[in-house]
DNA sequence: TTGATTGCAAAATATTTGCACGTCA
DNA sequence: TGACGTGCAAATATTTTGCAATCAA
């Protein structure tokens, strides 16, 4: 199966999810979705999505972007992240994907991803010890990416 | 040693840290610090701190609160947290304390804490595998606290 | 047809900044 | 004394909301 048809499948899949929840399938929502599918693994802010959508749909309003992102995040189609730069950042979260987390570079601000499996045992333990029912977790590592480590070595 | 003198020690300690970094020890800064020492383990927002400080120092401005919190967080005296409610929340971080993380209740918004030690091996692995130099990490579990679990059982 | 959705503008919220004045060291 | 710190008000930045018009189902 080609990459293209995988994308198409994901698109159809999300459209169905919207319909199942009685949300209407407006061209604005479709355009926003396509942006995420094209971007692959970006961490986009509302403003960035707005700029990317505008060429395809010039009349769209920023409020629609926010409202759509809210819905898609509620449905679990997008993951809403906070990387500490004062705005929320969204990424497409494929259903079959492992839960992944982020490595955030304190120097250049780049965000990369890593998978976790090891966290699950910790999660179980926490739940028992604190009588807390865990439904989600967020793990972020702050530090320096390899590129910045090189540059710091060179400059200082 | 009494609780009172422990507090006093911590206060003197922070004052020294400020002096060492050539920051002036203004009454505003001292008042803000005392609030944190009195609060113990609260997760306070700038606005909340403002309200708590005002009775002790009525003329203080909100901007001073923000500026002071910035400095104290930079020095590692306070920990700046984001619990997803749209404002930053600060807590006093005692130097000898284990790194701790948060359990955030999705129903009532309460935040409790837990210690981690197990995360360190994961951190080492991540660093090796991704050539990323980790200097800090944040781990948050979202779910339902025991009180809300009870109430959900009863109501639904 | 009709309730959901949209664009726009205004509002709300949190935080930052410019500046004249005050004060800690 | 003099650089640092402060209060105030205004500016920013992000996100939310009210509303009349529009559109998907």
């Amino acid at each position: 199966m080609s990459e293209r048809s995988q994308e198409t499948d994901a698109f159809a899949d999300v459209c169905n999810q919207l319909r199942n929840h009685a949300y209407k399938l407006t061209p604005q929502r479709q355009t926003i979705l396509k942006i995420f599918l094209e971007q692959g693994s970006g961490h986009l802010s509302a403003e960035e999505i707005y700029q990317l959508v505008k060429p395809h749909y010039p009349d769209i309003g920023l409020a629609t972007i926010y409202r759509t992102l809210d819905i898609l995040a509620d449905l679990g189609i997008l993951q809403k992240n906070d990387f500490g730069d004062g705005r929320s950042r969204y990424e497409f979260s494929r259903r079959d994907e492992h839960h992944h987390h982020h490595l955030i570079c304190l120097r250049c601000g780049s965000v990369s991803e890593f998978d976790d499996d090891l966290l699950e045992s910790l999660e179980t333990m926490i739940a028992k010890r604190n009588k807390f029912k865990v439904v989600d977790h967020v793990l972020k590592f702050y530090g320096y990416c390899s590129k910045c480590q090189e540059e710091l070595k060179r400059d200082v």
Side-chain angles (χ1 to χ4, degrees), chain A:
Chain A
M1 231 182 240
S2 77
E3 231 180 64
R4 181 94 209 96
S5 69
Q6 254 183 282
E7 258 185 33
T8 310
D9 287 353
F11 181 73
D13 187 51
V14 176
C15 290
N16 280 328
Q17 282 193 67
L18 284 173
R19 266 192 287 267
N20 293 342
H21 289 264
Y23 287 116
K24 288 182 179 168
L25 206 58
T26 66
Q28 291 94 329
R29 288 174 182 170
Q30 296 185 48
T31 312
I32 293 171
L33 265 172
K34 280 180 191 155
I35 293 297
F36 275 103
L37 291 169
E38 280 167 21
Q39 281 293 310
S41 65
H43 303 103
L44 303 171
S45 69
E47 181 65 34
E48 283 167 356
I49 294 157
Y50 184 47
Q51 297 304 333
L52 289 168
V53 169
K54 262 208 275 189
H56 298 87
Y57 200 105
D59 282 346
I60 202 165
L62 188 50
T64 301
I65 306 283
Y66 276 106
R67 286 186 282 231
T68 303
L69 293 175
D70 248 24
I71 291 172
L72 295 176
D74 272 357
L75 294 182
I77 293 161
L78 298 182
Q79 200 181 105
K80 185 177 181 177
N81 295 299
D82 172 73
F83 298 138
D85 63 347
R87 72 207 70 179
S88 295
R89 298 189 162 274
Y90 300 80
E91 64 186 304
F92 196 83
S93 88
R94 282 166 213 283
R95 195 182 306 164
D96 54 344
E97 233 173 40
H98 272 185
H99 215 95
H100 71 263
H101 296 289
H102 297 104
L103 304 174
I104 303 160
C105 182
L106 293 167
R107 186 160 173 273
C108 69
S110 68
V111 179
S112 47
E113 298 174 0
F114 69 92
D115 288 329
D116 80 53
D117 294 312
L118 300 92
L119 218 54
E120 270 160 47
S121 58
L122 183 58
E123 191 169 305
T124 316
M125 213 191 60
I126 296 290
K128 264 189 201 153
R129 204 190 272 172
N130 302 68
K131 293 182 184 164
F132 188 91
K133 181 166 176 47
V134 177
V135 303
D136 197 12
H137 59 238
V138 167
L139 175 58
K140 292 182 284 194
F141 286 105
Y142 293 93
Y144 299 99
C145 69
S146 55
K147 199 169 119 270
C148 284
Q149 285 176 57
E150 292 299 324
E151 289 177 18
L152 283 171
K153 250 186 256 169
R154 210 175 307 141
D155 298 349
V156 183

